[in-house]
Amino acid sequence: MQEELKAIQEEALATLEQINDMKELQALKVAYLGKKGSLTQVLRGMGKLSPEERPVVGEIVNQVREAITKAIDEKSDLLEKAALEEKLKEESIDVTLPGRPVKVGGPHLLTKVIEEIEDLFIGMGYEVREGPEVETDYFNFEALNLPKNHPARDMQDSFYITNELLLRTHTSPVQARTMREYKGEKGFKMICPGKVYRRDTDDATHSHQFTQIEGLYVDKDVKMSDLKGVLNIFAKKMFGEDRNIRLRPSFFPFTEPSVEMDISCKVCHGEGCSVCKGTGWIEILGAGMVHPNVLEMGGYDPKVYSGFAFGMGPERIAMLKYGVSDIRQFYLNDNRFLKQFHQA
Ligand code: PHE
């Protein structure tokens, strides 16, 4: 029996030498030390031994078990170390390789122009407001002095959702909403940037969805000269100190009188050239003194309060300022176009 045990030990250690991976090692452990392993088989045979022999053989079995266990553990450590080294080698980084450049994005040109306009008006004491893009017929039209069947509704072909709900055709409903919030109790100045929608066929100068910035100043004693002053500051800050403005009579149902503002052409400064189609001026925005009906529907007494309002299209401003020739560029998400303005 002692011979047998020695043979098992030798065989086990010899096999161990050949082993190169954890799976085989595990199999070997089971083969020798497991429940059905060779060493356990020998132990089973101990019952046949005499009482004197038993402790002697028991001692040897223990020694063999220890020797095999120790050898297995050592091999296991070795294999683990080797595996780790292999992994480190595989995952090692060549720090001398040039890095891959990280592509940095930037705000959309339209976002930048809107923020620039916001900053300008915030500097003049205006608060920035928002309103819903799905608007009621009441706020989009009626509260702006455009009753149902008013012909001027045709100026803004609309996307209706129900009879009473539509995608707002302009940011002017926020005029009515803001007046309501202030309950006719005090003056205020606000601008409201946002998306608007019209049933237009998209081309270089039309888009079924675009943005507007509305402006409204209501207080006691607001005059047309105040409007002209503010628009003049806006034009000079936005386009350059050398630009002039002019106001032309126009019509909007919610302002009276209504005007259209032009700025002098940056190429010919008013002389007339191909850029301004010979007129010397470029149209920028619509504005006017808030119509008494609109003030009244907003809860303001038109005998005490007056106001001016203006509305402009940031796309148009951006097109003029940065020489963009097609409004669709703002919505195509063509990175070749967009990235030109990341540093601008
Ligand atoms: N809402 C008008 C438009 O969409 C612009 C405007 C706003 C005109 C405020 C006058 C006053 O064309």
Side-chain angles (χ1 to χ4, degrees), residues 156 169-172 175 198 212 214-215 252 254-255 286-288 309-311:
Q156 304 179 356
T169 56
H170 50 177
T171 42
S172 301
Q175 287 189 32
R198 289 193 196 175
Q212 281 194 337
E214 193 79 10
F252 299 103
F254 30 91
T255 45
F310 55 84

